[in-house]
């Protein structure tokens, strides 16, 4: 066991969902643990700039939308109005309360939070540079690097925070622009497109790849495009942006689609083309930690090429998701404590996109399953045939199950529609238990629930869905 306040068994650099979870797990295992964090509060991108504040805005958008349509349920209310200062107050309150929660968990578990910028120093040492003081050194038996990611910009296009913005700016806009172009239709792009469309902006999405949410099963992208167009969101897929020009009243985007020019103009351009790992100036190279295209190379237990140094979260080349970072944190902490944790099965990670309608999936897409040589059978069931969806007056979308034909094993579940992001948990449990379609439909689904669509889609794999 370590002995002083500058000597630890484990030091974690970064307190996002990777780092803070790793620290708590390490402390539970009896390691004297420190977390070095350069931001004023713990929680990382997820808590301050990502998952939590975006979902607060999405929830506000949902409340606004409900107020507009309450009449359909026989409830008379005046259509809601956006109160922007109130919106930010609500979002900031949620963020602060979660950050305080992380601080509380550190105290409860005896984790020491050290403010400052951490870098790898000599072997077994981390250097900490506080914002207003001298560098100090920590002796540590093991180190977990969990420094996360940063915004990726468009070459030659400068962010000004008003006309040309990124996701951090989009969380705090003081007014809703009359029109917005969102560049990039991954999870972040479609979530902000959804939020700002509900808030009243005329939104146009531009995506280089042939469909929205390109990493999802093709059927989900096609259905989302249909739903977005119905909501009045413009969609340009397969469209390459060539040039962006800021004008006094907004921004012009010059693009090409199939070799033909596409010219778009809006008050604001939101660039949402992804993030890059934050691995520079951390002393990784000097320490001998191998990287590849900026990502730290790790094995299944999150060990880097240097003994005693682990890496987790957005700085490794796995899915850039908070729950992935957290699970990697647990694996790394357990490995650092001398345990033998199970490596993560990255084929069974749920992926959720909280736009309207919601999208969620786990496992292999139909295309990927076929590419890997599986003989595939698919079952699909629409929410339009589900009683609960009719109660909610939201019958958009479906559940699609991708199954292995011979052994009936469920390989992937893909959902678009009401509460898809909650429904995916059953599918995640099913995949992790190596469920078959038969075992999924033999598990009785309560009525009336949206989850009945999962049972029916499983029946549809065997061509025996009941309600269609
Ligand atoms: P981070 O959360 O980025 O945390 C890294 C921490 O390290 C930060 O606090 C940073 O200040 C600190 N740090 C960096 N360098 C140093 C240093 N040298 N010394 C000390 N501290 C340092 N994921 C989901 O699963 N669900 C979602 O709904 C979701 N929504 C998102 C929405 C947006 C707009 C964005 C941008 C991301 C979203 N993500 C979502 C992704 C998610 O936020 C990241 O995958 C997750 O935060 C990665 O966690 P991490 O611990 O690796 O890094």
């Amino acid at each position: 066991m370590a002995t002083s306040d500058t000597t630890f068994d484990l030091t974690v650099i970064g307190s996002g969902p990777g780092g803070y979870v790793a620290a708590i797990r390490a402390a539970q295992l009896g390691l004297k643990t420190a977390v070095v964090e350069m931001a004023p509060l713990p929680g990382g991108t997820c808590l301050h700039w990502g998952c939590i504040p975006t979902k607060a805005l999405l929830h506000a958008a949902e409340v606004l939308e409900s107020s507009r349509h309450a009449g359909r349920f026989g409830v008379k209310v005046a259509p809601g109005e956006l109160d922007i200062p109130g919106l930010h107050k609500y979002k900031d309150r949620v963020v602060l309360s979660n950050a305080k929660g992380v601080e509380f968990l550190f105290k409860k578990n005896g984790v020491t939070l050290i403010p400052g910028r951490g870098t790898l120093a000599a072997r077994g040492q981390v250097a900490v540079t506080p914002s207003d003081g001298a560098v100090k050194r920590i002796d540590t038996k093991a180190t977990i690097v969990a420094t996360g990611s940063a915004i990726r910009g468009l070459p030659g296009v400068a962010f000004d925070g008003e006309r040309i913005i990124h996701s951090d700016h989009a969380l705090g806009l003081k007014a809703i622009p009359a029109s917005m172009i969102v560049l990039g239709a991954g999870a972040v792009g479609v979530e902000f497109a959804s939020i700002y469309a509900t808030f009243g902006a005329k939104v146009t999405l531009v995506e280089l790849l042939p469909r929205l949410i390109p990493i999802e099963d093709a059927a989900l992208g096609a259905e989302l495009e249909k739903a977005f167009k119905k909501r009045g969101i413009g969609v340009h897929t397969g469209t390459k942006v060539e040039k962006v020009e800021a004008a006094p009243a907004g921004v012009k985007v010059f693009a090409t689609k199939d070799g033909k020019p596409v010219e778009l103009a809006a008050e604001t351009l939101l660039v949402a083309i992804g993030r890059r790992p934050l691995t520079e100036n951390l002393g990784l190279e000097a320490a001998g930690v191998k990287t590849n295209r900026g990502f730290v190379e790790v094995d299944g237990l999150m060990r880097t090429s240097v003994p005693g140094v682990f890496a987790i979260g957005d700085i490794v080349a796995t899915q850039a998701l908070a729950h992935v970072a957290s699970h990697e944190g647990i694996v790394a902490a357990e490995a650092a404590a001398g345990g033998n944790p199970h490596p993560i099965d990255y084929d069974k990670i749920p992926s959720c996109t909280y736009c309207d309608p919601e999208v969620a999936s786990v496992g292999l897409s139909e295309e990927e399953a076929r590419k890997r040589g599986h003989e595939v059978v698919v079952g699909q069931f629409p929410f339009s045939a589900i009683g609960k969806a009719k109660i909610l007056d939201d019958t958009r979308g479906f559940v699609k199950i991708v199954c292995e034909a011979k052994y009936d094993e469920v390989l992937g579940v893909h959902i678009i529609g009401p509460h898809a992001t909650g429904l995916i948990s059953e599918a995640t449990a099913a995949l992790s238990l190596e469920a078959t379609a038969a075992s999924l439909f033999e598990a009785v689904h309560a009525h009336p629930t949206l989850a009945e669509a999962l049972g029916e889609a499983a029946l549809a794999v065997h061509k025996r869905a009941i309600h269609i």
Side-chain angles (χ1 to χ4, degrees):
M1 199 59 162
T3 50
S4 80
D5 280 338
T6 54
T7 306
F8 292 90
D9 296 318
L10 176 72
T11 301
V12 182
I13 307 178
S15 71
Y20 88 75
V21 169
I24 291 168
R25 182 67 190 124
Q28 284 175 345
L29 291 167
L31 300 190
K32 187 183 177 198
T33 304
V35 175
V36 182
E37 173 55 61
M38 64 184 188
L41 287 167
T45 304
C46 165
L47 210 166
H48 298 278
W49 306 102
C51 326
I52 299 294
T54 50
K55 273 70 216 178
L57 294 188
L58 277 153
H59 182 63
E62 199 182 312
V63 172
L64 186 61
E65 192 64 11
S66 299
S67 77
R68 288 172 182 157
H69 299 294
R72 284 191 298 199
F73 305 105
V75 178
K76 278 192 190 166
V77 290
E81 235 177 82
L82 200 59
D83 158 23
I84 294 178
L87 174 74
H88 291 315
K89 221 161 136 186
Y90 150 65
K91 177 200 70 190
D92 295 345
R93 190 173 66 233
V94 174
V95 168
L96 185 65
S97 137
N98 277 286
K100 292 286 167 202
V102 176
E103 284 180 342
F104 164 79
L105 290 172
F106 281 169
K107 278 204 188 99
K108 181 184 162 210
N109 288 281
V111 172
T112 305
L113 179 58
I114 304 175
R117 188 171 187 286
T119 51
L120 295 183
R123 186 156 288 201
Q125 280 197 335
V126 167
V128 181
T129 312
S131 57
D132 55 355
V135 183
K136 65 176 178 188
R137 280 172 194 269
I138 291 170
D139 291 309
T140 185
K141 288 184 192 150
T143 305
I144 297 179
V145 186
T147 46
S149 59
I151 302 279
R152 197 188 286 278
L154 200 58
V157 179
F159 292 110
D160 63 16
E162 280 178 15
R163 285 166 308 175
I164 303 177
I165 64 172
H166 53 62
S167 62
D168 293 0
H169 301 129
L171 289 170
L173 286 189
K174 301 278 176 283
I176 305 305
S179 53
M180 180 184 270
I181 297 167
V182 178
L183 180 53
V188 172
V190 298
E191 286 185 4
F192 277 113
S194 205
I195 292 168
Y196 276 95
T198 305
F199 287 172
K202 170 82 192 107
V203 175
T204 305
L205 265 165
V206 180
E207 167 61 49
L208 176 67
L209 293 169
R211 59 175 191 261
L212 301 184
I213 43 169
I215 62 167
E216 296 289 351
D217 188 283
L220 299 187
E223 186 74 7
L224 186 64
E225 179 168 340
K226 210 166 78 187
F228 269 11
K229 282 183 171 161
K230 223 170 166 183
R231 290 185 56 195
I233 298 173
V235 174
H236 294 269
T237 48
T239 304
K240 184 170 190 289
V241 170
E242 309 285 355
K243 197 170 75 167
V244 171
E245 257 178 26
V251 61
K252 278 188 177 168
V253 171
F254 301 89
T256 48
K257 183 180 168 83
D258 302 328
K260 294 195 187 95
V262 178
E263 215 180 297
L264 301 164
E267 202 174 307
T268 305
L269 168 69
L270 167 61
V271 179
I273 56 169
R275 297 177 66 87
R276 60 178 179 80
L278 256 182
T279 48
E280 64 275 9
N281 306 320
L282 283 176
L284 293 173
E285 209 169 285
V289 173
K290 278 196 192 144
T291 57
N292 185 359
R293 295 174 297 112
F295 291 100
V296 179
E297 288 187 359
V298 287
D299 66 8
L301 299 188
M302 315 317 295
R303 294 177 294 207
T304 69
S305 51
V306 172
V309 179
F310 299 77
I312 59 170
D314 281 7
I315 60 165
V316 301
T318 54
Q319 294 100 319
L321 292 168
H323 42 286
V324 172
S326 297
H327 269 261
E328 289 175 344
I330 290 170
V331 169
E334 292 184 355
N340 194 18
H342 286 294
I344 294 169
D345 182 349
Y346 290 100
D347 277 346
K348 293 178 180 169
I349 301 288
S351 154
C352 295
T353 307
Y354 301 77
C355 51
D356 175 24
E358 287 190 349
V359 173
S361 67
V362 63
L364 305 183
S365 65
E366 184 178 350
E367 194 182 3
E368 181 61 23
R370 291 190 196 283
K371 214 190 296 168
R372 292 196 194 180
H374 292 289
E375 198 188 320
V376 166
V377 55
V378 168
Q380 191 164 314
F381 194 84
F383 284 107
S384 57
I386 292 291
K388 181 65 190 256
K390 288 185 184 157
I391 293 167
L392 299 176
D393 196 24
D394 187 358
T395 53
R396 296 169 298 173
F398 52 79
V399 174
K400 171 176 174 178
I401 296 183
V402 177
C403 230
E404 201 281 328
K406 189 164 168 205
Y407 300 105
D408 199 34
E409 184 179 351
V410 179
L411 300 173
V413 178
H414 309 276
I415 310 177
I416 179 165
H419 301 284
T421 59
L423 292 172
I424 203 65
S425 294
E426 176 186 344
T428 306
L431 257 75
S432 89
L433 296 169
E434 299 180 356
T436 57
S439 65
L440 248 188
F441 66 67
E442 277 161 13
V444 178
H445 291 84
H447 177 75
T449 62
L450 294 167
E452 286 173 281
L454 275 151
E456 287 277 12
L459 281 167
V461 171
H462 290 223
K463 304 213 179 330
R464 40 174 287 211
I466 299 288
H467 289 90
I468 200 149

